[in-house]
Amino acid sequence: MWGTRGDCFSPNFFPCTPTYTSSSIHPVHVVTMGQTQSDQRRPPPSREELTKELAAKFADKCFTSLEIYSFKEVFKSLVDQEQNVRHLKEDTIARFLEIPDVLGVSPVIFQMISYIGAFPFLRDAPAVLGLEEMVMVITIMTDRYQRVLATGADDRKKLLFNSLAVYDRKLSEHVNRDKSPVIDGSGAPANSSHASGFAVDIAGDDEDDLGCEDEDDLVLAALDSLDYANVGKLEDGPPPNHALIPAGNFKKIIMLLLLVAPLGAQESLSSHANRVVGKELEELGVVADCIVAAFLDVEHSPGIRFSRFNSIIPSSMPFVFSGFTPLFEHFLFSKTLDFHERVGGSTVVPDVVQPLLQDKGSLLNLSIMSQLSFFIPGESLFRKLRLLYAGGEDGFSMGSFETKVFNWRAPTILLVHGICLPDETHRAGGAETAFLSTLPPRRYPSGNRAIGERVTFGVYLSQPWRHTHRECFGDSDSILFQLQPVHDVFRGSPSNKDYASFTKPSASTPIGGVSFGCPPPQPTQAYRRSSTISMGPVSLVMDSSFEFGCFTHNYISRGSSAFQGSACRKFDFQDRFEISDLEVWGCGGDEEAKHQAERWAWEAREAEARRRINLGTGDIEADRALLEMAGLIGGNRSGGSMM
């Protein structure tokens, strides 16, 4: 209907270019009938020729015929022509992608794609966004390049960093001045006791940053796919030193990525317009600030260097750029094509789109859910979360928690929000003093800047909740994380299995509660005499009344821990806080909810059966017969024996 693949790659679309071998920059001449092999050597290929050949290869291997047809239609509908040059403008792209003006991110996006459009000859950036350049942009922004550049090209971080970076000597000098003294997380100059808190640079970063100026593996793989080996002859030399992503630009990109995170295929960004007004826009900005804080302290550094970018992205937010895929795939769907029409005149009615978050909680909102999708796959979150337990509604007790959360057979996400407590010297007494007395003496500084600052921690567990006796539950897929005021992720480690515990206080275990990353309480004589919680190197603890919590990050002297240390805060800190809210969300759908309801119904019937046996059914004769069978009453009674 739309023509064959050969039609899509006509000379008018991607002009054919010669093929080159890896051993020589000279073309390979193929002898055909009536043709003699020429000894004349052709000149080296131009960058334009290699770019056209790579674009044709991407189009052939990474897109379907229908997608190429649609892309041609979209490009023709958007293109501007100046002096016989056909290209796309910034406002045209922003309008087509429906990027909200309020975010102010359109110039940043245009800077990105103008740089990527010059691929693989990035020294020529910014590129004029013509047909071939937009093929490069869409292929890379949607991750489809991996279908062609499989070897040594599985990582586009360096390319994305450079597309966002600026080369400004003044910014670089500003960063260098701020290296000494380095400011730690508590706002005081760092000393030998622990390393920097939110500072963008620590000693040794300069050497790492030079890595972003080396040849990009993606570029090398692209040129290698063209059988072209003499890369050096096509490069102009090293790029400027000290590349930085300005903090303001990075926040704008993060806000856009939070907005596009839940996008599905062909889903319009304008359908999420309610998220960029009023309170929702404010929440989007707050979450973006927490994420930016993982990379730098905006008060002491104006930009992000590659060493920070390269270390934090893989560990704390590996899926942060996933939203670019559905956003830029809009170029592959022409609005002139109606995919809902069927042969015979029947029309398929689109399914009703369910809300991204069906239940309403006090902690989890759409922006927080998008933040979670940066390190938890979005298909487990969007339109899949159910509120199982909310402390404000169900009560802050382990009994209520158990009733609502246990028997959910799918993964769960726990969120706890609180206010940081003052130092031990300023205790208010009562329950706070009792809780602090169960913790080991404070050895670490606070991870936050001010007393009373709000913190939000959380845990992702892939295994169902259960009571803890001698062994914790959970597995290496468990994730401990912080969302506010700094985005941080502590992934599960296979070296230690103390992932999660749920222990109610008892005579044998007087200190109960919920903990993550801590050894389970052991009901022994020695433990009964102990009144101190055994804290893990990277751990989160909540007391049995859900009044107080404590997060510990022992980075320097950490031993075997169930959770890995921070990638952005490589120092020791501890946050003690008063819990203001607690929620547990279940990942799953109707099937999981049905299974949980059936399990609870079965347990309720079993409990009722035991109650009726213990307390009587109201049928005196039936109760008497049961007691006689047990030898407790009647003529057959003989010391409890039924003989």
Side-chain angles (χ1 to χ4, degrees), residues 76 137 412 481:
K76 286 190 291 187
V137 169
T412 54
F481 56 86

Side-chain angles (χ1 to χ4, degrees), residues 81-135:
Q81 185 164 339
E82 297 179 4
Q83 299 179 351
N84 297 324
V85 177
R86 292 156 54 87
H87 64 99
L88 301 185
K89 294 182 177 180
E90 175 186 328
D91 58 341
T92 303
I93 294 175
R95 185 171 60 254
F96 175 76
L97 296 179
E98 300 177 328
I99 297 176
D101 293 336
V102 68
L103 298 182
V105 73
S106 296
V108 185
I109 287 292
F110 192 72
Q111 172 191 324
M112 284 189 70
I113 63 178
S114 296
Y115 180 88
I116 295 174
F119 186 85
F121 303 106
L122 301 175
R123 305 293 189 270
D124 295 339
V128 176
L129 296 177
L131 192 64
E132 290 84 4
E133 290 76 13
M134 286 303 299
V135 169

Side-chain angles (χ1 to χ4, degrees), residues 108-181:
V108 185
I109 287 292
F110 192 72
Q111 172 191 324
M112 284 189 70
I113 63 178
S114 296
Y115 180 88
I116 295 174
F119 186 85
F121 303 106
L122 301 175
R123 305 293 189 270
D124 295 339
V128 176
L129 296 177
L131 192 64
E132 290 84 4
E133 290 76 13
M134 286 303 299
V135 169
M136 303 294 187
V137 169
I138 298 170
T139 304
I140 292 174
M141 296 298 276
T142 61
D143 251 352
R144 297 188 180 206
Y145 66 89
Q146 298 188 52
R147 303 178 186 178
V148 176
L149 311 181
T151 304
D154 59 345
D155 197 338
R156 57 177 179 171
K157 293 193 304 295
K158 188 180 300 183
L159 181 62
L160 294 178
F161 175 86
N162 286 330
S163 71
L164 290 167
V166 298
Y167 303 93
D168 192 316
R169 183 178 298 274
K170 292 182 179 180
L171 288 179
S172 177
E173 292 174 351
H174 185 93
V175 170
N176 290 334
R177 287 198 307 268
D178 288 332
K179 284 186 180 181
S180 180

Side-chain angles (χ1 to χ4, degrees), residues 446-465:
S446 173
N448 298 286
R449 295 178 177 277
I451 296 173
E453 187 171 22
R454 297 184 180 275
V455 294
T456 302
F457 294 96
V459 179
Y460 169 86
L461 293 175
S462 59
Q463 291 189 0
W465 286 78

Side-chain angles (χ1 to χ4, degrees), residues 109 112 141-142 256-257 260 321-329:
I109 287 292
M112 284 189 70
M141 296 298 276
T142 61
L256 176 65
L257 290 169
V260 303
F321 296 114
S322 297
F324 279 148
T325 295
L327 181 65
F328 281 88
E329 280 182 345

